[in-house]
Amino acid sequence: MSRRTFVRGSLAAGGTGLLATTLPGAAHAAELTAADPGGTVRLAVDETSGQIRVLDAGGVHRLTITHFKYSGSARTFGASRVTQPSATEIEIEYVTQHPDVTVKAVIVAGLRKARIRWEVSGPAATPDDFAIGRVVVNGTETYRPVALWNRETGGGIPYETSHGAGYACTYADNRLLLRLRDSTLRFGDATWMHAPGVASGTGYVTEAVLVPGLMRPHAAGVIARDVVTPLGVELWADQPFHVWPTGGAKTVHAQVVNSLTTARQVRLAWTARTWSGAVQSGSAGPVTVSPRTVWNPSFDVTLGGRDIAFVEAVVTDDADPAVTAFSRTNLAVLSAYTYQDGAASRFGVSNYPWLLSGPGPDETAALMKLIGMKWVRTAYDGAPGIAPADLDRHGLLHNVQLGGIPYGKTATEQRAWADAMVARCVTAGARYYECGNELNIIETERTPAEYVNAGLRPLRAAMAARPDATFKVMTCGLAGLDSVWLDGFGAAGGWSEVDVLAYHPGRGNYVADYSPPEPWLEPSGKRKPVFWNFIGSLRKAHEARTVNGGKELWLTEAYASTLPNRWWTDTYRHAAENVLLQLMFARAHDVRCVTWYTLDDGIEQQPREANAADIEYHFGLLVRDRSPKPSLLAFATAARFLDQADYLGRVTFSDPEVKGLLFDTPTGRFSVLWTRHDGYVLNNDPARRDPANPDYYRTPEPWLDPWPTKTPVSLPTPAATTTVRELNSIGQETLHTAAGSRVAVTLDGAPRIFVGLDLTTTATYPV
């Protein structure tokens, strides 16, 4: 499909609730009101309490701002003075707990948008602790940061950046977004909304911008931004995670917003590219979008039976083509699959999927099972994430990972810690307890011997006193394979206190099968970049657990980061390839379980926010909007082939740069083949580097093949075989015709799975 015109659009002005101009029949007693001349938004202030009622265009009370907290323990108490400079403005001077602290609110109502600015001064004011008291009236609230797409001027892939914290209120008939410059969700609660201030003059200020109307949080956020962005667009599909079980035409929705106070005539163009680069495209418009309203078109993208599409839509102002906005999302097809490994499964998730809107716990659990995840690294009553009972209901196994090692405490205090931890693990139904996290880099002032004596030994004593404490004990998840730490751990007798070696195989811009020459440490002990490799560290971990009692080996944080336009991480395409290889190598080294670092991009403290400069925001199998990366399909591809699989050994070739692994399953053998003629270091193209910025690398788009060297090989097949299946890293299948017990295929740096070959681990095959 080269071009499509889509007509299933609707023009809306934020919904009827936004456009209506009817105001309430009677105001509350002793109130002053500020409203824009069109009546699209209204704020009413109680002259005694100072409470602010937010009303939409229909006059319906949607939100109450109750108090303002200016420190961790002090807030306002009513109004000392309320004045109205104009019909669109109100000023509130508050009563405070401290006589030397002043708090003033300045309210301004505009077209479909209102702003409340708090001005605070005084020695007791602590701007990091500023918070807004609020009550949502007959609605629900969800944290939805405002994020916008950007193009890098120097080239590379587009990326998102956050532009404020959004609290989206949803009602039966309307919506409302409250945007703050900044906010940390976990610093607030159902009563207080964290709203840190910034210095201004002799004091501090913080602002809330309110946008009511039937539009999505992204569109309202574009209107609410402090810096004017004339146009905005968002893409989404109704299917959870944008992953369907079968191919065909899939509907993508778009919402275009005009954030200005004048109408604009716009048009929308969209493009969808698949893994191979095949293009579908279409357009709509021109359409006139009224001031601060939205337009809702939609279009179809056709997907194959195992597929991924990278979709971009661009909205352009007809009168000024330089005024544009764009958005991206991904779509994928992944068929259903019934895994047979059961409790023997080797795959899971490390950090909770922080799905605070959109797909919920049941949909999240379903996605985990679809891609082969059976384990959750940590779950207990009161913890974030899916509760243990719900995980049990979904047939997901779960552990506990917690620290708080009682260093320097008395024996009684250490035993109390251990008793509490054992009780928590037993109550949660944990199969394993991971004792601490990355202590080798977080608690460098503590020795492994202190860890063993203060943590593991009291824990084992507490377990011995409880017959129901049958869970296994892991070491803390080491950051990298830290041989120095493990030497100290062994010298302290730590191996006898654990059942499992757990570690996190960090990896830089290297392919998963790169084992760099040692040493990996500087003489000072500082880690060299090559320390962060996958297969070399895995071999060391396998050796350490083998010579120290044959312990289980867990990779409790594995990842393939896709931080955009940086040389140290993976591209989206390389990430999928490395996911496949990492899971294959984990099975080859008999890793009991790999728990993937995060299911979705983002961090616990700032969920759903976008940060193009922080690697921690880019470890997921899903991008920020919860649509799939190619890595998600690669994870599922590996998990399905490794379901009940045994590793047989390496396949060798006359050309040492041609690589192979051989596995056996109840349904037959498969091999994984690739080459390294293009080297082991990724993101190393000088043409994509920026001499002025050594960290920068112009990341190629995921539909571009990055491997220049193609190696044709002829491989043996069983005499009766006529067809050989080849699957790429995301599971797309190509069929090859075999003749005369041979088949011709082409290999490169991308690992591929082959079914139907007659390979062994004893022969060396010519190339």
Side-chain angles (χ1 to χ4, degrees):
M1 180 170 62
S2 59
R3 292 187 64 82
R4 290 178 63 94
T5 301
F6 55 98
V7 296
R8 297 196 308 278
S10 64
L11 189 62
T16 56
L18 183 64
L19 288 177
T21 57
T22 303
L23 297 178
H28 287 210
E31 281 189 338
L32 294 179
T33 60
D36 79 288
T40 60
V41 63
R42 181 181 182 184
L43 293 94
V45 179
D46 186 289
E47 295 182 74
T48 301
S49 69
Q51 293 192 355
I52 305 167
R53 296 192 303 125
V54 180
L55 299 90
D56 62 16
V60 180
H61 180 198
R62 299 298 186 178
L63 180 73
T64 300
I65 306 296
T66 58
H67 304 283
F68 185 84
K69 186 183 287 188
Y70 56 86
S71 75
S73 59
R75 65 173 176 87
T76 60
F77 287 88
S80 61
R81 186 166 179 256
V82 180
T83 58
Q84 186 159 19
S86 72
T88 60
E89 299 174 84
I90 298 176
E91 296 182 358
I92 310 169
E93 296 175 20
Y94 291 97
V95 177
T96 65
Q97 289 179 244
H98 297 82
D100 55 357
V101 171
T102 63
V103 179
K104 177 182 178 181
V106 179
I107 298 170
V108 180
L111 179 67
R112 303 184 179 96
K113 178 178 178 178
R115 184 183 302 272
I116 307 174
R117 174 186 175 92
W118 286 270
E119 301 171 353
V120 185
S121 64
T126 55
D128 288 346
D129 295 326
F130 285 2
I132 299 166
R134 87 297 193 192
V135 176
V136 179
V137 181
N138 297 323
T140 59
E141 179 187 277
T142 304
Y143 184 70
R144 288 294 298 270
V146 181
L148 298 180
W149 282 92
N150 308 263
R151 297 195 194 278
E152 185 64 58
T153 56
I157 60 172
Y159 58 91
E160 288 184 287
T161 51
S162 285
H163 292 264
Y167 289 83
C169 303
T170 302
Y171 311 93
D173 60 342
N174 211 345
R175 292 180 176 179
L176 170 71
L177 181 77
L178 187 153
R179 177 196 177 271
L180 304 170
R181 178 192 60 84
D182 189 20
S183 184
T184 298
L185 181 64
R186 66 187 179 92
F187 291 170
D189 54 31
T191 301
W192 294 103
M193 180 183 297
H194 179 236
V198 295
S200 177
T202 59
Y204 310 95
V205 299
T206 191
E207 290 187 340
V209 179
L210 300 142
V211 179
L214 281 174
M215 62 183 75
R216 289 171 65 85
H218 178 269
V222 172
I223 294 173
R225 281 190 73 217
D226 294 331
V227 179
V228 174
T229 302
L231 299 175
V233 61
E234 180 186 14
L235 298 176
W236 76 97
D238 294 329
Q239 180 73 10
F241 306 106
H242 296 186
V243 177
W244 288 265
T246 58
K250 310 303 178 187
T251 299
V252 179
H253 304 291
Q255 185 166 91
V256 175
V257 60
N258 170 19
S259 73
L260 300 185
T261 56
T262 57
R264 304 183 81 89
Q265 183 171 281
V266 302
R267 62 182 72 234
L268 187 74
W270 64 271
T271 304
R273 291 179 173 86
T274 61
W275 188 252
S276 65
V279 178
Q280 303 170 53
S281 62
S283 63
V287 167
T288 299
V289 185
S290 299
R292 292 183 178 164
T293 63
V294 297
W295 167 41
N296 298 302
S298 61
F299 55 88
D300 285 348
V301 174
T302 301
L303 299 177
R306 171 68 73 88
D307 210 353
I308 189 166
F310 310 97
V311 184
E312 177 176 301
V314 181
V315 58
T316 305
D317 188 317
D318 263 8
D320 186 356
V323 176
T324 67
F326 76 100
S327 181
R328 286 191 166 194
T329 195
N330 301 331
L331 317 175
V333 175
L334 180 61
S335 60
Y337 183 85
T338 302
Y339 294 87
Q340 301 299 318
D341 265 346
S345 170
R346 297 172 183 266
F347 306 110
V349 68
S350 299
N351 283 5
Y352 299 115
W354 303 102
L355 303 177
L356 301 179
S357 62
D362 289 351
E363 291 87 354
T364 301
L367 180 71
M368 291 169 59
K369 292 194 288 185
L370 178 68
I371 65 174
M373 289 180 171
K374 184 73 172 179
W375 293 87
V376 173
R377 183 188 184 194
T378 184
Y380 51 89
D381 290 337
I386 305 175
D390 289 327
L391 293 174
D392 292 340
R393 176 169 56 86
H394 289 292
L396 295 172
L397 308 176
H398 44 93
N399 305 327
V400 167
Q401 182 277 309
L402 282 171
I405 310 301
Y407 299 112
K409 302 295 184 180
T410 66
T412 300
E413 291 170 322
Q414 291 174 350
R415 180 57 185 266
W417 168 85
D419 286 341
M421 191 64 68
V422 169
R424 173 170 284 176
C425 292
V426 170
T427 301
R431 305 292 184 98
Y432 293 77
Y433 167 56
E434 188 176 349
C435 188
N437 185 60
E438 298 195 341
L439 302 183
N440 60 315
I441 62 171
I442 294 174
E443 297 181 351
T444 55
E445 76 282 4
R446 301 291 184 180
T447 66
E450 289 179 275
Y451 168 68
V452 172
N453 292 325
L456 293 179
R457 290 201 168 102
L459 181 79
R460 283 298 191 184
M463 292 178 67
R466 288 195 59 158
D468 56 351
T470 57
F471 56 87
K472 295 183 179 181
V473 177
M474 300 183 181
T475 64
C476 75
L478 289 175
L481 201 284
D482 193 331
S483 297
V484 175
W485 193 93
L486 282 177
D487 288 344
F489 180 75
W495 288 108
S496 63
E497 307 296 338
V498 298
D499 307 291
V500 180
L501 168 60
Y503 93 106
H504 305 160
R507 181 175 54 78
N509 63 323
Y510 314 121
V511 291
D513 54 317
Y514 180 46
S515 182
E518 297 200 59
W520 298 347
L521 302 177
E522 302 284 1
S524 64
K526 180 182 178 181
R527 297 172 180 85
K528 296 180 179 180
V530 292
F531 176 87
W532 301 107
N533 68 83
F534 186 82
I535 191 60
S537 71
L538 181 57
R539 289 170 180 163
K540 281 179 171 289
H542 179 62
E543 179 184 5
R545 64 84 172 261
T546 301
V547 301
N548 288 287
K551 306 297 182 182
E552 287 185 20
L553 178 59
W554 282 61
L555 311 186
T556 53
E557 289 183 16
Y559 61 77
S561 174
T562 56
L563 181 72
N565 302 319
R566 292 296 184 270
W567 67 277
W568 182 243
T569 61
D570 285 344
T571 69
Y572 283 108
R573 195 174 187 101
H574 284 321
E577 296 164 355
N578 283 317
V579 167
L580 184 76
L581 265 188
Q582 286 173 195
L583 297 190
M584 292 294 174
F585 276 123
R587 181 65 191 91
H589 289 80
D590 197 26
V591 172
R592 176 63 185 86
C593 191
V594 179
T595 54
W596 204 254
Y597 183 42
T598 58
L599 186 60
D600 55 306
D601 278 355
I603 64 173
E604 172 188 352
Q605 294 79 8
Q606 307 295 149
R608 297 214 73 170
E609 292 195 12
N611 189 326
D614 189 337
I615 194 172
E616 285 290 324
Y617 286 77
H618 301 274
F619 285 121
L621 299 175
L622 304 166
V623 293
R624 193 194 65 86
D625 75 343
R626 278 45 174 174
S627 67
K629 294 181 184 179
S631 302
L632 183 93
L633 298 183
F635 194 102
T637 299
R640 293 178 182 194
F641 271 89
L642 291 173
D643 188 33
Q644 295 189 301
D646 291 320
Y647 175 62
L648 298 180
R650 286 188 173 265
V651 181
T652 57
F653 298 83
S654 59
D655 181 347
E657 297 306 325
V658 179
K659 313 291 183 178
L661 303 174
L662 187 62
F663 297 86
D664 192 23
T665 75
T667 58
R669 293 185 174 187
F670 72 89
S671 57
V672 183
L673 306 178
W674 70 98
T675 74
R676 284 292 170 246
H677 287 296
D678 294 317
Y680 291 77
V681 180
L682 303 170
N683 303 342
N684 204 31
D685 180 356
R688 292 187 173 273
R689 301 299 292 271
D690 182 355
N693 184 357
D695 290 333
Y696 190 79
Y697 183 81
R698 299 175 183 88
T699 302
E701 295 283 12
W703 54 83
L704 300 176
D705 181 354
W707 300 107
T709 304
K710 308 299 179 183
T711 302
V713 296
S714 175
L715 300 172
T717 65
T721 296
T722 58
T723 301
V724 171
R725 298 169 58 207
E726 172 190 320
L727 295 96
N728 63 16
S729 61
I730 66 168
Q732 291 178 323
E733 185 171 304
T734 300
L735 299 180
H736 298 279
T737 300
S741 298
R742 308 291 296 183
V743 66
V745 301
T746 300
L747 303 177
D748 58 21
R752 292 174 171 84
I753 296 170
F754 291 89
V755 179
L757 301 178
D758 187 19
L759 300 177
T760 73
T761 61
T762 55
T764 298
Y765 298 98
V767 174

